[in-house]
Every structure is written in structure tokens, then in C-alpha cells.
Amino acid sequence: MTGSLADASFLKMILYIATTAVILAVFFALAWKIYLPAVLGMSETTSEKRILSKEEVTRTVKSKNPVRTYAMIEWKKLYRTPAWFMNCVLMPLIWPVFMLGIASFQSFPALAWLKPPAFGPGLSPMAPYSAS
């Protein structure tokens, strides 16, 4: 299947598209059956049902900005769900550190001793251990 576009084989291209569509359908079906109910079920809690009086309702229900309310709900979900926290919160904090580390190897000659040795033609990393 790797040479379908290079060989201009229309049948191989159709087979590739069909295989990709089937794999996507399987993953979407699994997501709908497993992942989404689990995420939606995380916010469910049981509580005692009690009828509130009018003054209790007006005292507890306050008018807030809906955009801010939804933003706070989403932030709480991000911080409480480990997978979302690692992917959406932690990675944007860690990547700049990685990029600075890579840049420091390239821009500071004092850190050159940390770089692996360069091997040219005819040289190998195993040269000190070779029998010849």
C-alpha cells in the first residue's frame, strides 16, 4: 500500500481510503461507547432532593456572566482530569523548558561538552573498541 500514489494505482488508493475510513469508524464507535460516557459521568453526583423555598432559591442563585461560568467549569475539568491536565496544562508549561534546553546547546559554547561526539566518514562510535 505504500507505493499506491507513486505507482498511480487507483485501486490501491481506493483500498487505502476504505481501510482508513473503517479504522476511523471503529475508533469513533469506541469513543462514543467508552470515552464519552466516562467523561460525562465524571460530573454526576448524588444529592438529597429537597424542595427549596423561594427565599432560599433567591439567596443561593446569583446572576453571573455565562461566559465566565462556563470558563470556570472547563478550567475545573482540566485540573481535575489527569489526562486533560497533562495534555492541556502541563505540556504548554514543559515545552518552553525543552526548547530553551535545545537552544542552549546550540548557542552556548560552554555547554559543548554535553553534546555527543560527531563522527565523520570512516569513524564509528565503536572505534575505541574495535579489534583493528
Side-chain angles (χ1 to χ4, degrees):
M1 264 197 229
T2 58
S4 64
L5 292 178
D7 297 339
S9 172
F10 186 72
L11 182 62
K12 286 183 181 180
M13 186 178 72
I14 296 297
L15 181 64
Y16 173 75
I17 291 172
T19 305
T20 304
V22 167
I23 291 171
L24 280 173
V26 167
F27 277 114
F28 278 120
L30 285 173
W32 280 103
K33 291 289 183 185
I34 297 171
Y35 181 73
L36 289 177
V39 170
L40 293 175
M42 287 184 344
S43 64
E44 293 178 3
T45 59
T46 58
S47 64
E48 85 178 42
K49 301 200 183 222
R50 147 184 149 201
I51 299 173
L52 298 175
S53 67
K54 258 192 171 190
E55 69 180 40
E56 285 177 329
V57 170
T58 56
R59 190 175 39 185
T60 58
V61 177
K62 296 177 184 175
S63 177
K64 293 183 180 178
N65 183 0
V67 174
R68 184 169 188 257
T69 303
Y70 283 120
M72 290 306 296
I73 290 170
E74 292 300 317
W75 275 107
K76 287 177 184 177
K77 283 182 187 177
L78 281 175
Y79 283 115
R80 290 178 184 166
T81 310
W84 290 351
F85 179 76
M86 285 189 299
N87 291 326
C88 299
V89 177
L90 205 56
M91 289 312 291
L93 297 175
I94 291 175
W95 271 109
V97 175
F98 288 147
M99 294 298 122
L100 286 174
I102 292 169
S104 68
F105 279 118
Q106 294 176 353
S107 61
F108 296 116
L111 297 176
W113 63 274
L114 292 173
K115 290 183 184 178
F119 298 103
L123 298 175
S124 86
M126 298 302 289
Y129 307 107
S130 64
S132 57

